Amino acid sequence: MNVQSDFPALAGSHAGVCYLDSAATTLKPRCVIDAVGWFLQEGTSAVHRGIHPRSLTATDRFESTRERIAEWFLADAEEVVLTSGATDAIHLVRRGLRDLNSVVYTVMEHHSNYVPWMDVANHHCLGVDADGQIDLETLGEQLAGGVDLVAITHQSNVLGSITRLEEIVELTHRHGAMILVDAAQSAAHDPPDFGGLGIDFLACSAHKMLGPSGSGALLVARHVQDRLRPVRFGGNMVSAVHGETFELQSPPHCFEAGTPAIESVIGWGAAIDYLDQLSPAGISHHLSELTDRAANQLAAIDGVRLVSTSDPHRGPLVAFTIEGMEANAVVKILGNDQIFLRAGYHCAQPLHEHLGIGPSIRASFQVYNTPADIDRLTEKIASLARVAG
């Protein structure tokens, strides 16, 4: 997949950059930059409120992104609530879900899908095995005791493991509970089938899908929309306001108060168009080859311990440690060579503690990475491991 020239951050004076931090945020193709630039330079106008030509054009492009998000996840546009990101989307469920008294989540969740549930009256954190899978029997036992919501990631941002959504959704619904899926890590290459799986809530972010930061979405299935109440109030989310009363717009707009990040949403639409042209199947195949290459080469280096799952059905990242070296030191050294990685707990400290390890090093991949990037990474890691050993 030869697309490096589409990404200004890898071209020209940046041609030597080896960017392996896409699980944190992705680079942006030229088409996304152009879409944002169009709005800032010539399309600037408030959406939804104006009837002059520029406002109507901006609204059309803004709403077309909602439609593209729905198509990407096989949902309906009326089920797509635009937010400031996946964290904001999860908080809409946490604060807006009526009568939320019991929730189950896992130890491998990103902090954004872990911390919000800790003040729920009855919260239960399930462990995972080395491959990032929960025990379905244990989940069933928790659900049998009465649970309102299961919150679970589709892909771990440390282990790279892909959760068994079909089985988990079926088991959750069988016990009368709802499910929220954090799809932030998988959305760009392995989007869950929202409608086909019968997911109740799904959170994602634009910036992990080659789009700008500042926008995201919460997909809310029609059958649970009346169980979710708005948590922010203001312009656009109301259809009428009187002296002592107001009337809400119908979903999804009743959940979208205030002026949104218009340029970010429009840029996100361009990003989805770009991903669609490459095709999810093509992207997934490319990323799988890169991940296998990285995992195999790193596993062959003495002193390197892989943290991520060995299951071949995994997300495009590899987390690891080097015996005798701090993760931060490794990333700083490689950064001086224009190889950009991530070090730390990756907003998943409970998982690291569950695994009995300290901070780890993470290399994560996207469409713009190549086998040469992997070879360059592993050559440097092998050199550092020899010194540390």
Side-chain angles (χ1 to χ4, degrees), residues 31-32 35-36 61-69 82 206 209-212 215 262-277:
C31 62
V32 170
V36 173
R61 293 192 64 166
F62 181 92
E63 287 298 326
S64 71
T65 296
R66 192 190 307 273
E67 295 171 0
R68 295 298 287 117
I69 296 167
L82 293 167
M209 296 179 66
L210 311 186
S215 61
I262 305 170
E263 61 268 36
S264 179
V265 172
I266 289 174
W268 190 8
I272 296 176
D273 286 341
Y274 181 84
L275 290 169
D276 206 24
Q277 290 171 8

Side-chain angles (χ1 to χ4, degrees), residues 198 205 304:
S205 288
V304 170

Side-chain angles (χ1 to χ4, degrees), residues 133-137 139-140 143 150 152 162-175 179 197:
Q133 300 299 332
I134 62 171
D135 182 74
L136 293 179
E137 183 176 347
L139 174 60
L143 289 166
V150 172
I152 191 166
I162 307 296
T163 50
R164 296 169 287 182
L165 280 186
E166 185 172 0
E167 297 171 82
I168 294 170
V169 172
E170 191 280 328
L171 181 60
T172 299
H173 286 166
R174 193 194 317 161
H175 286 85
I179 187 164
L197 289 172

Side-chain angles (χ1 to χ4, degrees), residues 297-311:
Q297 291 184 11
L298 287 168
I301 300 172
D302 289 339
V304 170
R305 173 192 172 185
L306 293 186
V307 176
S308 299
T309 178
S310 59
D311 189 328

